[in-house]
Amino acid sequence: MQADNRIFASRYPREGNLILFPRDVKERKELFPDDVFEHPAKMSLCLTQELIEYLTKPGDSIIDPFGGTGTTAIGLLMGRNVVLIELETHFLEILTELHKLWEGKHKQKFYVMAGDCRQV
């Protein structure tokens, strides 16, 4: 087996062991419904993109059992299929709105599922 010599998030500056991802407010405003800004703990779009790029290949499927505001849906723009699961009604409504915005604009599959991720 060949060793993987890739460096995670190599295009971003580092400070010691920290990777300095930029703020993503502009991109998030362009891609997502306005209600996403209500979530107290949004995952960085840059970090999410780097994880998707590092861990998957185009055509792979990604499941996010804690869909929240749908940051993982960015995988669609990267050629991945995406499944988002959400328990809380408010965030499920945001994901449903996101699904409507993005539905049919990408050849990949995009699913939003309601419920407890342990049971869905």
Side-chain angles (χ1 to χ4, degrees):
M1 182 174 188
Q2 185 176 1
D4 185 351
N5 295 326
R6 297 179 300 161
I7 297 172
F8 178 72
S10 61
R11 63 182 151 197
Y12 295 101
R14 286 172 155 65
E15 191 174 284
N17 291 327
L18 298 177
I19 301 170
L20 305 176
F21 291 109
R23 292 180 48 87
D24 62 9
V25 174
K26 181 180 179 227
E27 292 82 6
R28 199 175 287 277
K29 282 183 178 180
E30 292 171 0
L31 295 170
F32 293 85
D34 290 336
D35 292 344
V36 301
F37 292 96
E38 296 174 15
H39 197 287
K42 295 172 294 303
M43 176 117 162
S44 162
L45 280 172
C46 297
L47 172 58
T48 303
Q49 288 171 312
E50 289 296 321
L51 287 168
I52 291 169
E53 187 175 288
Y54 194 78
L55 298 170
T56 68
K57 330 182 269 291
D60 282 354
S61 295
I62 301 166
I63 185 167
D64 185 344
F66 310 102
T69 60
T71 303
T72 308
I74 201 75
L76 286 171
L77 305 180
M78 302 170 72
R80 278 63 166 183
N81 301 304
V82 177
V83 178
L84 303 176
I85 302 171
E86 181 55 50
L87 178 62
E88 293 188 39
T89 304
H90 177 67
F91 296 114
L92 185 58
E93 289 169 359
I94 292 172
L95 292 179
T96 302
E97 185 178 346
L98 177 65
H99 187 269
K100 287 177 188 174
L101 284 172
W102 290 20
E103 188 175 34
K105 295 181 181 177
H106 309 282
K107 66 180 184 174
Q108 292 73 31
K109 295 177 180 143
F110 181 21
Y111 300 100
V112 173
M113 302 177 78
D116 185 327
C117 63
R118 298 169 295 180
Q119 298 171 351
V120 173

